[in-house]
Amino acid sequence: MEPEISNQSLLFLVIFVLVPLTLSYFYQLGMSKDILWSSIRGTVQLFAIGYILTFLFDLNPFMGIPLMLSIMIIIATFHAWNKGKELPHAFLVILLGLIIVEVSVLTLWLAFDMVAFTPSEVIPMSGMVIGNSMVAMGLALERMKSEFTENSGRLMAALSLGAKPSQASHLIVTKTLNAALIPNVDRLKTIGLVQLPGMMTGLILGGVAPVMAIKYQLVISLSIFSSVSLSAMFVTMAMYRYFFNKNDQLLENEEELRNQQK
Amino acid sequence: MEHPVFQFQNVSDDILHNMNFEISTNEKVILFGPSGAGKSSLLFLFNRLRDPKQGDINYYGKPVTEYEISQLRRKVGLLLQSPNLFPGTVLDNLKYGPSLCGEWNPDDAKKLLEYVQLPESYLNRNVDQLSGGEQQRVSLGRTLANSPDVLLLDEPTSALDYRTAEEIEEVLERLIEEHQLTMIMVTHDLKQAKRLGERGLFLMDGELKEDGDIESMLTEPETEELKEFIQD
Ligand SMILES: Nc1ncnc2c1ncn2[C@@H]1O[C@H](COP(=O)(O)OP(=O)(O)OP(=O)(O)O)[C@@H](O)[C@H]1O
Ligand SMILES: [Mg+2]
């Protein structure tokens, strides 16, 4: 049986939008426009993706998969880049990082027969890997910037004791990686106990047996875990050097950071 | 002929203007002047935490840029206002510098603690369990671990209370004497300047206004600027 929500039923979703709208009206939150706009935009975006996916799923996998993956990676790159635009070469580093992550994960999936090379499997699964990697890279960039500012005294101390930038940044690299990994470790610990993961919920609603759904969930959860680690590691290792100049001196402000060509 | 330890010739950048002076072995120099005068900026030129836009800085007669940079920084040690210790134990901090070039000798730990007058039992203490004064001692020990021959000090006691500051001062005085160090120290405390220094460099708006014997500078200032500064 294919579960389906009829279009009439879907119309009643308006009620769900009315709740925040009413709240906004009574408490004068001034968010009515935002609420309406985001609801409409979300709906349109999802339907558009629905049609695009339908179109892609009908294509030859050797066309559809690379096409969709490229689009996803480029969009994700722009998003993560927003968190660290002032860092030189950030765009390239993120783009390269996402490609490496996606290609390695996909290779493993296919090599061990965990995922079939069809758009309907590869695209949603890759979407999750790329999306999570994008968030991890953005967080790592933000974290790295704030750690460098907060620890400028320690970095100066390390440099003045004769440390090279790679040695002086050790502390910051550790903290950044920690921050990127901890939420994922925590998520894995409570997985299934508090909230059923989105993909598993979807598969179960779609009529797949729970144990089967769990197998997919395991594949995706662990793939995300390793992609997120790899992503955070990659940007951190690729970017730390841009906080220093070629004379092993700490750059003091954003302007210096931007002007730097190395 | 023996070269001066440091020699500044027409050194300028956005903050400092036309610095010209020499510092010879074992001199005890005090850099002082109002806030924002450029004291820290000048101090960081000595170990190349900064570089000037123009001019020459020589270390023992050779441009600082010709030395391997970490080697230069080891020889020209720096102690900042706040200890900036690395997370971990006292030992982790003490061995940081020497370990970077594989020169750490575990026997040195005891010696370093003795230099800064901390009990041996402190070696494996976590640094965030230490008081401010104790942390500053560890920081000093960490700098000395590289056996520097010049010691740069940027207001090393200004974050400490009066008593603790005096203790650190005593430790510093003894170490500088014992190890024949050349000292360049930034301080706001003019009494401390007289106690620890021999020569004064008075800095204001990035310019070197007076250079001379610290005692006479403070008792008989030559420039109006210094007169006003002392009165405040
Ligand atoms: N990173 C920086 N970028 C631009 N200007 C700076 C920077 N750091 C310091 N300055 C400016 O350079 C001047 C000298 O600063 P510096 O820190 O050397 O002064 P200082 O004499 O050590 O002052 P204080 O006694 O407050 O420590 C100040 O006008 C300061 O605003
Ligand atoms: Mg200063």
Side-chain angles (χ1 to χ4, degrees), chain A residues 154 159 161 247-249, chain B residues 48 51 69-70 73 85 146:
Chain A
R154 280 202 185 117
L159 291 175
L161 289 165
N247 292 326
D248 299 356
Q249 293 159 346
Chain B
R48 294 196 69 203
D51 281 326
I69 202 157
S70 1
R73 287 176 181 165
L85 296 178
N146 277 338

Side-chain angles (χ1 to χ4, degrees), chain A residues 207-245:
Chain A
V208 172
V211 174
M212 194 62 199
I214 280 171
K215 286 184 186 166
Y216 271 96
Q217 188 59 52
L218 260 182
V219 171
I220 194 65
S221 288
L222 294 178
S223 304
I224 287 175
F225 194 27
S226 85
S227 337
V228 162
S229 322
L230 191 60
S231 303
M233 180 76 155
F234 186 82
V235 277
T236 316
M237 294 321 262
M239 297 310 296
Y240 78 81
R241 74 194 71 199
Y242 298 117
F243 290 87
F244 301 87
N245 68 16

Side-chain angles (χ1 to χ4, degrees), chain B residues 34-41 43-44 81 154-155 186 188:
Chain B
S35 185
K39 306 180 293 291
S40 303
S41 308
L43 197 70
F44 299 155
Q81 177 181 33
D154 195 357
E155 309 190 34
V186 175
H188 273 125

Side-chain angles (χ1 to χ4, degrees), chain A residues 151-164 167-171 175 245 247-250 252, chain B residues 44 47-51 68-70 73-74 76-78 80 83-87 96-97 100 142-143 146:
Chain A
N151 289 292
S152 63
R154 280 202 185 117
L155 288 164
M156 268 170 60
L159 291 175
S160 70
L161 289 165
K164 292 276 154 205
Q167 297 165 319
S169 327
H170 184 81
L171 173 83
K175 278 194 178 176
N245 68 16
N247 292 326
D248 299 356
Q249 293 159 346
L250 199 56
E252 283 166 2
Chain B
F44 299 155
N47 68 346
R48 294 196 69 203
L49 278 182
R50 290 180 71 234
D51 281 326
E68 206 276 312
I69 202 157
S70 1
R73 287 176 181 165
R74 268 180 244 280
V76 185
L78 171 70
L80 297 163
N84 291 304
L85 296 178
F86 307 127
Y96 186 87
L100 291 171
R142 181 176 70 175
T143 302
N146 277 338

Side-chain angles (χ1 to χ4, degrees), chain A residues 53-60 119:
Chain A
L53 287 178
T54 316
F55 164 75
L56 284 171
F57 289 1
D58 290 341
L59 278 182
N60 171 344

Side-chain angles (χ1 to χ4, degrees), chain A residues 49-87:
Chain A
I49 279 294
Y51 286 111
I52 291 173
L53 287 178
T54 316
F55 164 75
L56 284 171
F57 289 1
D58 290 341
L59 278 182
N60 171 344
F62 290 96
M63 292 270 300
I65 291 177
L67 181 68
M68 191 60 192
L69 290 185
S70 313
I71 295 173
M72 291 195 294
I73 287 178
I74 288 169
I75 294 175
T77 303
F78 273 103
H79 262 268
W81 183 50
N82 268 327
K83 311 279 184 187
K85 269 186 175 160
E86 65 277 42
L87 298 173

Side-chain angles (χ1 to χ4, degrees), chain A:
Chain A
M1 180 203 83
E2 291 262 315
E4 197 177 334
I5 303 175
S6 70
N7 288 339
Q8 287 96 307
S9 315
L10 219 48
L11 277 180
F12 289 105
L13 277 178
V14 169
I15 296 171
F16 289 114
V17 179
L18 283 178
V19 174
L21 261 184
T22 320
L23 274 177
S24 169
Y25 178 78
F26 274 110
Y27 290 99
Q28 299 175 332
L29 303 180
M31 288 174 60
S32 312
K33 241 177 151 179
D34 262 358
I35 293 168
L36 270 178
W37 171 237
S38 60
S39 310
I40 293 169
R41 185 181 153 158
T43 312
V44 172
Q45 254 167 237
L46 282 178
F47 270 106
I49 279 294
Y51 286 111
I52 291 173
L53 287 178
T54 316
F55 164 75
L56 284 171
F57 289 1
D58 290 341
L59 278 182
N60 171 344
F62 290 96
M63 292 270 300
I65 291 177
L67 181 68
M68 191 60 192
L69 290 185
S70 313
I71 295 173
M72 291 195 294
I73 287 178
I74 288 169
I75 294 175
T77 303
F78 273 103
H79 262 268
W81 183 50
N82 268 327
K83 311 279 184 187
K85 269 186 175 160
E86 65 277 42
L87 298 173
H89 312 304
F91 190 87
L92 223 68
V93 166
I94 296 167
L95 181 65
L96 194 66
L98 287 175
I99 293 174
I100 293 176
V101 166
E102 172 58 24
V103 168
S104 22
V105 169
L106 188 57
T107 309
L108 289 178
W109 283 345
L110 297 176
F112 299 115
D113 216 12
M114 295 175 193
V115 171
F117 194 67
T118 58
S120 63
E121 291 201 15
V122 171
I123 290 173
M125 301 271 282
S126 299
M128 286 190 264
V129 164
I130 295 170
N132 281 279
S133 304
M134 165 189 91
V135 172
M137 287 185 182
L139 283 178
L141 282 178
E142 278 187 325
R143 181 73 185 219
M144 203 164 35
K145 283 190 289 180
S146 66
E147 290 289 347
F148 265 96
T149 322
E150 272 166 40
N151 289 292
S152 63
R154 280 202 185 117
L155 288 164
M156 268 170 60
L159 291 175
S160 70
L161 289 165
K164 292 276 154 205
S166 59
Q167 297 165 319
S169 327
H170 184 81
L171 173 83
I172 279 153
V173 171
T174 324
K175 278 194 178 176
T176 306
L177 288 180
N178 245 324
L181 295 190
I182 285 171
N184 286 281
V185 174
D186 286 346
R187 200 174 314 148
L188 272 183
K189 275 190 209 150
T190 59
I191 197 169
L193 296 180
V194 180
Q195 194 184 15
L196 286 185
M199 189 175 90
M200 204 173 131
T201 313
L203 287 173
I204 291 172
L205 286 174
V208 172
V211 174
M212 194 62 199
I214 280 171
K215 286 184 186 166
Y216 271 96
Q217 188 59 52
L218 260 182
V219 171
I220 194 65
S221 288
L222 294 178
S223 304
I224 287 175
F225 194 27
S226 85
S227 337
V228 162
S229 322
L230 191 60
S231 303
M233 180 76 155
F234 186 82
V235 277
T236 316
M237 294 321 262
M239 297 310 296
Y240 78 81
R241 74 194 71 199
Y242 298 117
F243 290 87
F244 301 87
N245 68 16
K246 63 181 189 318
N247 292 326
D248 299 356
Q249 293 159 346
L250 199 56
L251 296 181
E252 283 166 2
N253 50 42
E254 275 192 12
E255 202 181 329
E256 272 186 310
L257 214 60
R258 238 188 307 259
N259 293 339
Q260 187 197 15
Q261 288 305 329
K262 197 165 164 183

Side-chain angles (χ1 to χ4, degrees), chain B residues 6-146:
Chain B
F6 275 103
Q7 193 174 23
F8 277 56
Q9 286 170 333
N10 308 319
V11 171
S12 298
D13 59 25
D14 296 342
I15 298 168
L16 303 164
H17 314 293
N18 208 21
M19 294 283 139
N20 281 293
F21 58 83
E22 286 183 5
I23 289 172
S24 27
T25 321
N26 295 339
E27 251 190 317
K28 295 174 192 158
V29 181
I30 304 288
L31 278 178
F32 68 113
S35 185
K39 306 180 293 291
S40 303
S41 308
L42 176 58
L43 197 70
F44 299 155
L45 294 179
F46 288 93
N47 68 346
R48 294 196 69 203
L49 278 182
R50 290 180 71 234
D51 281 326
K53 286 226 171 82
Q54 289 157 23
D56 300 307
I57 303 174
N58 291 334
Y59 176 59
Y60 288 114
K62 218 168 79 173
V64 281
T65 46
E66 281 180 24
Y67 291 85
E68 206 276 312
I69 202 157
S70 1
Q71 224 51 45
L72 176 79
R73 287 176 181 165
R74 268 180 244 280
K75 284 290 139 203
V76 185
L78 171 70
L79 184 67
L80 297 163
Q81 177 181 33
S82 48
N84 291 304
L85 296 178
F86 307 127
T89 62
V90 170
L91 177 63
D92 293 334
N93 277 275
L94 293 179
K95 70 180 191 191
Y96 186 87
S99 304
L100 291 171
C101 47
E103 281 174 11
W104 174 245
N105 176 356
D107 298 335
D108 290 346
K110 234 197 268 181
K111 196 179 68 192
L112 289 168
L113 284 180
E114 199 186 298
Y115 286 167
V116 298
Q117 301 194 328
L118 284 175
E120 229 179 290
S121 58
Y122 272 48
L123 216 49
N124 292 311
R125 286 236 188 142
N126 199 302
V127 292
D128 38 63
Q129 294 164 359
L130 306 181
S131 71
E134 289 168 339
Q135 289 192 355
Q136 193 62 318
R137 283 167 197 254
V138 175
S139 190
L140 178 59
R142 181 176 70 175
T143 302
L144 292 173
N146 277 338

